[in-house]
DNA sequence: TAGATTGTTAATCGATTAACAATC
DNA sequence: TAGATTGTTAATCGATTAACAATC
């Protein structure tokens, strides 16, 4: 199994979006030069990255779109997909539940959990809302491998503990809490504040021009 | 003006959260060793980064919390803050409008824009909803420098054009569209899908253990 | 074949880490 | 002073870029 360096892994989603784009236009292959020009890297970087992807069909007209797409879908987990559960139906949780973004990539939201009894038993966008204590059972029966945490920060660790107990394999954490989890659970944190700070930093550097 | 390398800039928000944490506990200074231990870097990296921040008060017990906090608030734009406008009140826009996350950091949402006439004129969480054609006027009168785009992808470029015309200085883009903007406008994109792919990649690497 | 592009090795660049004298 | 930590220079590491022979 090829071990993908982190800087390369960060570029894979960009490659994938680009591949989908040009696939639509009916072109059958793409060169490192074209990718580099479009995404703002050097052709050298692209070629080095392509080597990390394993064997691709390539020729003097570049890499075949179909083999590139297949390799990326395999690596990014799109080809196999995953079942997900979301815990905490606040305004962020609702926005995530409504989003078609991951659904389109085969990451399917199968279950919602909340502690508010007035919404338990209801169905949001086709997804049932369960009580918190049904977590272990539902995660098992729906073969859920990823848990999304969008609760208030104060409940985040408790929810992470419950998910870990339910044998979840990955946690997508939308709270600003540094979760403690057992070794078999992977955590990926989503934090938008650093991105706003970066924008602020960029704008500031414009000022003295 | 110190030019901050990107890898350093990416760590600044982490330092800031940590500084707020220990400030609460009443401790007056922190060593590179403590920061490194808590955030998972080496003390060397921390000290190099501190040098990028400019002159800090330091001693044999470490860096003074107050000078470190002040330097970070200055660099991250927290001390001066900014006024923001949000365009596109879907479920994501609502979640952002409800969030206290940036408000606490002096990034204040002053205006919401949408094209749906049934909500124009209403007030959401204390923030007025304006029609799209009031954009230039409101951005000027409220001294707004950052525009948030949370519309459907199909409208994103039109909104970016309108914001640029209104002399906005930064765009915080929550759509997956690669926006084209004039040189005086900075764009920062927020994309959660790469983060989900990264989680998927991590989980996959667990599998063959 | 001729032209273009890959695959791969070597060179460069920049970031991280180590080491230690200077400072508090 | 003695102990601890910074500030800074040098060494290491890894990622990006350049170069070019091999391939289509």
């Amino acid at each position: 199994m090829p071990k993908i360096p982190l800087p390369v892994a960060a570029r894979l989603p960009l490659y994938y979006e680009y591949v989908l784009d040009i696939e639509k236009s009916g072109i059958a292959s793409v060169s490192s030069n074209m990718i580099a020009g479009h995404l703002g890297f050097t052709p050298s970087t692209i070629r080095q990255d392509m080597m990390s992807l394993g064997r691709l069909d390539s020729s003097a007209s570049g890499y075949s779109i179909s083999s590139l797409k297949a390799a990326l879908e395999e690596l990014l987990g799109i080809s196999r997909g995953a079942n997900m559960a979301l815990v905490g139906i606040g305004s962020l949780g609702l926005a995530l539940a409504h989003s078609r973004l991951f659904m389109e990539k085969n990451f399917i939201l199968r279950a919602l959990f909340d502690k508010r009894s007035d919404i338990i038993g209801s169905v949001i966008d086709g997804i049932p809302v369960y009580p918190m204590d049904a977590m272990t059972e539902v995660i098992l029966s729906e073969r859920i491998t990823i848990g999304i945490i969008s609760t208030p920060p104060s409940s985040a660790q408790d929810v992470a503990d419950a998910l870990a107990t339910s044998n979840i394999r990955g946690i997508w954490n939308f709270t600003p809490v540094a979760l403690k989890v057992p070794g078999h659970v992977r955590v990926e944190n989503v934090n938008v504040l650093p991105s706003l700070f970066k924008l602020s930093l960029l704008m500031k550097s414009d000022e003295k021009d």
Side-chain angles (χ1 to χ4, degrees), chain A:
Chain A
M1 169 74 63
K3 172 84 161 292
I4 311 258
L6 208 66
V8 180
R11 285 189 288 268
L12 298 188
L14 303 175
Y15 295 153
Y16 185 63
E17 292 301 324
Y18 181 57
V19 162
L20 291 185
D21 263 10
I22 53 177
E23 190 190 38
K24 264 183 248 157
S25 68
I27 297 170
S29 64
V30 64
S31 70
S32 55
N33 247 295
M34 289 166 69
I35 303 178
H38 196 266
L39 297 178
F41 305 112
T42 65
S44 249
T45 299
I46 306 296
R47 287 203 293 280
Q48 293 280 18
D49 286 1
M50 292 304 142
M51 291 306 99
S52 304
L53 299 190
R55 280 293 156 248
L56 297 173
D57 295 346
S58 64
S59 71
S61 54
Y63 303 94
S64 104
I65 293 291
S66 62
S67 75
L68 183 48
K69 186 185 173 197
L72 288 167
E73 290 190 336
E74 171 61 23
L75 278 165
L76 296 176
I78 295 167
S79 55
R80 104 161 70 179
N83 295 317
M84 308 198 291
L86 181 148
V87 188
I89 314 178
S91 53
L92 173 60
L94 262 185
L96 289 168
H98 287 141
S99 172
R100 295 280 153 270
L101 206 63
F102 5 105
M103 204 80 106
E104 285 168 0
K105 301 293 189 276
N106 294 333
F107 288 80
I108 315 284
L109 207 40
R110 299 288 185 194
L112 307 173
F113 295 92
D114 203 287
K115 61 168 74 154
R116 298 195 339 264
S117 54
D118 56 320
I119 56 170
I120 289 171
S122 67
V123 173
I124 297 175
D125 270 357
I127 313 162
V129 179
Y130 298 99
M132 301 294 271
D133 56 18
M135 202 178 285
T136 302
E137 185 197 329
V138 173
I139 283 175
L140 182 69
S141 67
E142 297 283 336
R143 296 176 204 285
I144 287 166
T145 54
I146 295 177
I148 303 174
I149 305 183
S150 51
T151 61
S154 53
S155 324
Q157 184 60 57
D158 287 347
V159 170
D161 292 346
L163 286 170
T165 303
S166 306
N167 249 318
I168 209 84
R169 299 211 2 262
I171 291 179
W172 203 17
N173 176 30
F174 282 79
T175 76
V177 177
L179 300 174
K180 289 184 186 64
V181 295
H184 66 279
V185 179
R186 295 290 189 155
V187 178
E188 173 69 19
N189 299 303
V190 176
N191 250 306
V192 296
L193 214 41
S195 151
L196 179 58
F197 289 147
K198 191 175 155 207
L199 177 60
S200 169
L201 224 57
L202 288 172
M203 288 166 59
K204 184 193 262 238
S205 73
D206 288 339
E207 238 149 66
K208 23 119 208 291
D209 293 351

